[in-house]
Amino acid sequence: MSHDILVLYYSRSGHTAQLARFIARGVEEVPGMRARLRQVPPVAPVTEIAMPPEPEDGAPYVSRADLTECAGLALGSPTRFGNMAAPLKYFLDTTGAEWASGALAGKPAAVFTSTSTMHGGQEATLLSMALPLLHHGMLIVGIPYTEPALNNTVTGGTPYGASHVSGTRGDNAISDHERELARNLGRRLADVARRLGAPA
Ligand SMILES: Cc1cc2nc3c(=O)[nH]c(=O)nc-3n(C[C@H](O)[C@H](O)[C@H](O)COP(=O)(O)O)c2cc1C
């Protein structure tokens, strides 16, 4: 098994991308483990529009090999009406072959999201993202309340996964607690992957 945790996200205005980088940092705090940061392309009503091969900013686009090669997966999306964003769902809906072959079965996974408002559906989104991963046979890793930041945060951070409240104008910086919980989730995910058989 590889040493890589795939940190895969969609982000329109950069908040989920920021969370992804903190999760990646946590992954790399586990000796021998590496974060492979990737994003899904946007989708348009006319889906046949050719995408440039590389995104203009952020991580490279994900490939099928990234999925099969990873020892674990952190999946992130902004909240859209209490659910994951269409580009991420669209990508997941193309993973039938990986589902059929069991490419992700038995590997650990975690989820993360960003909302503009405090009660705008973070938990609903995180749970909706966990569902397809359970169908893939993945083992969901959350954040336990033994993490002091989970008891003390007044913005994002949930037992279901990492999160950020970006504000209605999108100008909230990631709080210390949100950052700590995202890093903790990355570290926990990489540690579980290593215990399950990824080489140290
Ligand atoms: C179509 C649409 C639906 C949204 N739905 C919600 C929502 O249900 N709850 C919420 O708090 N924010 C909602 N938002 C705001 C985004 O979740 C928020 O701005 C997020 O931080 C953006 O993340 P990003 O910077 O990674 O793109 C919505 C935004 C759009 C464009």
Side-chain angles (χ1 to χ4, degrees), residues 35 87 96 122:
Q122 295 199 340

Side-chain angles (χ1 to χ4, degrees), residues 10-17 77-83 113-121 164-167 170:
Y10 173 70
S11 184
R12 179 83 177 271
S13 49
H15 297 97
T16 311
S77 171
T79 289
R80 294 270 195 269
F81 306 124
N83 213 312
T113 191
S114 176
T115 55
S116 62
T117 58
M118 185 66 196
H119 301 289
H164 168 56
V165 180
S166 64

Side-chain angles (χ1 to χ4, degrees), residues 43-116:
V43 292
V46 182
T47 51
E48 298 305 319
I49 293 172
M51 294 298 304
E54 296 296 332
E56 280 171 13
D57 54 14
Y61 288 136
V62 66
S63 71
R64 315 225 73 78
D66 290 324
L67 279 183
T68 49
E69 288 168 10
C70 73
L73 170 68
L75 194 67
S77 171
T79 289
R80 294 270 195 269
F81 306 124
N83 213 312
M84 78 181 94
L88 194 65
K89 180 67 164 60
Y90 182 80
F91 173 74
L92 289 172
D93 286 356
T94 68
T95 60
E98 286 72 20
W99 167 78
S101 69
L104 296 172
K107 294 178 183 180
V111 289
F112 57 103
T113 191
S114 176
T115 55
S116 62

